[in-house]
C-alpha cells in the first residue's frame, strides 16, 4: 500500500472537558498518513484516480473547527472516518496534537495516534 502524508495541519477548535477549553478554544495540529494504491493514478497521471489531499486537508480542518467533543480520542476518530469516506483511501493513521493541553507541569505536546481501515 502506498502512503500520502499530510503533516502539521493546524486549526482552532473548542474541544476538551474543561469550560475554559470550550469557551476559549485552542490550536490542534493533525498529521495524517493515508494508505491507498496510487499505481493507476501514476500510470495515467490522473488526479481523479488518487486522493485529492487538498480536499482532505480542508475536510480535516472543518472537523477540528466543527462540533466540540470532550476527548481528542473522539476528535481523532471523527477525522479518521472523514478520511475513509474517500473511495481510494483504504487506511488512515491520524495523530492529533494538543500542545496547549491543560497540564500543570512543563511539557511539549500531548498526542493521540489511531489507525483505522476499511477492513
Amino acid at each position: 500500500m502506498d502512503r500520502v502524508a499530510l503533516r502539521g495541519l493546524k486549526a482552532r477548535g473548542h474541544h476538551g472537558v474543561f469550560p475554559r477549553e470550550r469557551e476559549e478554544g485552542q490550536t490542534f495540529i493533525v498529521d495524517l498518513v493515508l494508505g491507498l494504491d496510487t499505481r493507476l493514478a501514476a500510470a495515467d497521471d490522473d488526479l481523479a484516480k488518487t486522493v485529492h489531499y487538498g480536499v482532505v486537508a480542508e475536510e480535516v480542518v472543518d472537523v477540528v473547527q466543527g462540533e466540540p467533543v470532550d476527548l481528542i480520542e473522539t476528535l481523532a476518530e471523527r477525522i479518521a472516518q472523514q478520511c475513509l469516506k474517500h473511495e481510494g483511501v483504504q487506511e488512515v493513521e491520524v495523530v492529533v496534537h494538543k500542545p496547549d493541553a491543560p497540564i500543570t507541569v512543563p511539557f511539549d505536546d500531548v498526542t493521540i495516534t489511531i489507525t483505522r481501515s476499511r477492513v
Side-chain angles (χ1 to χ4, degrees):
M1 193 172 309
D2 304 318
R3 305 273 184 233
V4 173
L6 290 91
R7 308 256 187 238
L9 297 171
K10 294 180 184 174
R12 190 157 187 86
H14 293 265
H15 311 289
V17 296
F18 298 112
R20 181 173 163 226
E21 293 178 292
R22 291 294 183 106
E23 293 164 11
E24 296 177 15
Q26 59 192 293
T27 298
F28 292 84
I29 303 165
V30 178
D31 301 325
L32 301 173
V33 179
L34 307 171
L36 64 156
D37 187 341
T38 63
R39 288 178 286 194
L40 288 176
D44 294 341
D45 198 28
D46 186 351
L47 177 61
K49 295 181 180 177
T50 188
V51 64
H52 190 309
Y53 51 79
V55 170
V56 172
E58 291 171 359
E59 292 171 350
V60 168
V61 166
D62 286 346
V63 171
V64 174
Q65 292 175 339
E67 181 184 343
V69 296
D70 289 344
L71 304 176
I72 59 173
E73 292 86 344
T74 306
L75 181 59
E77 185 67 34
R78 287 185 178 179
I79 291 168
Q81 294 309 313
Q82 180 62 45
C83 292
L84 289 171
K85 288 180 181 178
H86 291 267
E87 184 178 332
V89 177
Q90 298 301 308
E91 181 179 273
V92 62
E93 178 183 274
V94 177
V95 181
V96 175
H97 301 258
K98 189 175 179 180
D100 299 321
I103 297 175
T104 61
V105 297
F107 74 102
D108 288 329
D109 199 5
V110 172
T111 65
I112 176 76
T113 302
I114 67 170
T115 303
R116 299 293 182 265
S117 65
R118 293 182 181 277
V119 181

